[in-house]
Amino acid sequence: MIARAASVALALLIGCSGDKGKDSGDTGGDTTPTGAEPYAVLGDYNNLPSAALLSIWGTCDTDMFVVGADDGSGPVVLHYDGTGWRRIQTGSTGDLWWVWSDGGDLVWFSGEAGRVLTYSRSADAVTSEEVVTDPAMKMFGLWGSGPTDIWTVGGDIQGNQDGVIVHYDGTQWTEAHRVSKDPTDNLTTRQAFKVWGAAANDVWVVGTNALISHWDGSVWTDQPQSVYHTAPLFTVSGTGPNDVTAVGGGGNAQSAHFDGSSWTDVSPPPYDAVPSFNGVKAVSGVGTVACGFGGSIYWFDGTTWSADPRPRPTPLDFHACWIDDQGATWAIGGDLTNLSEGVIVYSGDRVQAVAL
């Protein structure tokens, strides 16, 4: 196991860049990839554990991590190393909602009960599990600029307290900020869902009731609500400080875009009947992709959203999407109501179907 982890790390260093939040530039009008491979279903109820899949991270088609709900044998953590898939046993329980790494030895998972798990490639094991905040919180999102600067965010889905933002400095996790209430009434609690940054001093958090909050290296500052104030924003991603996209919705998709100076509502018009977006991923030179309910996949050209012209690969709901270093698109999800069924789809021809 250790030898395999070392070989994967070497391949990663040679040919894969990872998602360190240091991309520059913007989408430049990128849109749906032309001539792209049709979507293939790599995994579903036939060959996956009976748990919805909730987050994906990777650097190339030889190093991909997928995490999800607990199927009764612990949270599902899958890894693809270029030759096949395997399940990583965490020794933990409860759902995992997000995965992130800077491409080095360590990979971080966040999830239920205020927990963050750390996996070591070289040890091929989860080396730590910490409760970093109130166990009533589900830690829905995770991102860092490096191994000594990581943010995890979450919330109390019962709405009894404000969402939380927690920071890791390489030594310890510290609660850094409580999300402010909805400014329209100053009473409604808001929850933090996802976090992404262009740099250590340029970090964005999104959440319920149109929450968008920014870290400038010193303070967290809420942004004016660019979409309807009751709309949840589920995920945020960008290619750099002048190109950041947040997505969500409570029926029809909602989306906002930051151009370096202000946020603008770029939601699809209601008459387009675009289902809510759950996930988004932006990669400079490739584009910005969002995924959501009913197996929907859409592309953003900097102004408008267009449906991916390829046939929808599944009727299940997507929770997260990814563009790998080779330009292939991934989407994962499943039964997001019961967290009981998973699906992985992929637009290339280099990755094998899941066989555990």
Side-chain angles (χ1 to χ4, degrees):
M1 293 293 189
I2 294 176
R4 175 163 61 177
S7 66
V8 169
L10 177 60
L12 180 153
L13 291 172
I14 292 172
C16 308
S17 63
D19 176 31
K20 302 174 186 176
K22 298 177 183 178
D23 299 6
S24 61
D26 55 40
T27 57
D30 293 331
T31 185
T32 312
T34 57
E37 292 284 337
Y39 287 101
V41 177
L42 299 182
D44 58 14
Y45 67 92
N46 290 299
N47 56 348
L48 289 174
S50 57
L53 303 175
L54 302 172
S55 179
I56 180 170
W57 176 93
T59 52
C60 57
D61 58 359
T62 59
D63 186 45
M64 299 297 298
F65 285 85
V66 174
V67 305
D70 189 328
D71 69 344
S73 299
V76 173
V77 177
L78 305 177
H79 183 243
Y80 183 74
D81 66 0
T83 61
W85 292 85
R86 68 189 179 105
R87 180 171 181 174
I88 296 172
Q89 297 297 333
T90 65
S92 183
T93 60
D95 306 330
L96 292 177
W97 285 89
W98 216 243
V99 53
W100 176 84
S101 176
D102 71 337
D105 181 56
L106 301 180
V107 183
W108 287 268
F109 313 131
S110 65
E112 270 193 75
R115 295 174 305 132
V116 175
L117 282 64
T118 306
Y119 168 80
S120 166
R121 298 168 184 273
S122 57
D124 191 24
V126 171
T127 55
S128 72
E129 177 177 355
E130 298 181 67
V131 177
V132 302
T133 188
D134 187 334
M137 298 289 184
K138 294 180 185 290
M139 307 313 291
F140 293 114
L142 187 73
W143 177 88
S145 67
T148 61
D149 176 43
I150 303 174
W151 299 92
T152 184
V153 304
D156 172 7
I157 61 172
Q158 302 301 321
N160 295 323
Q161 54 184 319
D162 299 314
V164 66
I165 299 174
V166 182
H167 183 256
Y168 180 67
D169 62 5
T171 302
Q172 63 182 0
W173 293 91
T174 304
E175 186 175 307
H177 183 65
R178 285 280 174 156
V179 173
S180 61
K181 292 178 171 56
D182 187 334
T184 62
D185 61 18
N186 292 316
L187 296 172
T188 304
T189 60
R190 294 194 291 181
Q191 310 307 320
F193 282 153
K194 297 296 181 290
V195 55
W196 177 88
N201 62 350
D202 188 7
V203 182
W204 297 97
V205 166
V206 299
T208 57
N209 290 64
L211 170 69
I212 302 178
S213 194
H214 182 253
W215 170 254
D216 64 4
S218 299
V219 296
W220 285 97
T221 305
D222 289 350
Q223 307 298 295
Q225 292 175 313
S226 53
V227 297
Y228 191 66
H229 72 91
T230 61
L233 291 171
F234 294 123
T235 313
V236 59
S237 180
T239 66
N242 301 326
D243 177 41
V244 186
T245 304
V247 301
N252 287 332
Q254 297 281 310
S255 179
H257 182 260
F258 183 72
D259 63 4
S261 60
S262 63
W263 285 90
T264 303
D265 188 345
V266 293
S267 304
Y271 54 75
D272 281 358
V274 176
S276 294
F277 293 147
N278 292 322
V280 65
K281 176 62 178 176
V283 172
S284 183
V286 180
T288 299
V289 64
C291 58
F293 289 95
S296 60
I297 298 175
Y298 280 73
W299 292 86
F300 184 59
D301 66 4
T303 304
T304 59
W305 290 95
S306 300
D308 192 306
R310 291 165 285 188
R312 290 192 183 186
T314 178
L316 293 169
D317 300 327
F318 290 132
H319 190 263
C321 43
W322 191 262
I323 302 170
D324 68 25
D325 282 9
Q326 304 299 317
T329 308
W330 300 67
I332 64 164
D335 179 347
L336 301 184
T337 300
N338 300 306
L339 300 182
S340 60
E341 184 176 350
V343 65
I344 303 173
V345 306
Y346 167 73
S347 68
D349 60 1
R350 303 178 309 274
V351 177
Q352 304 169 25
V354 178
L356 300 176

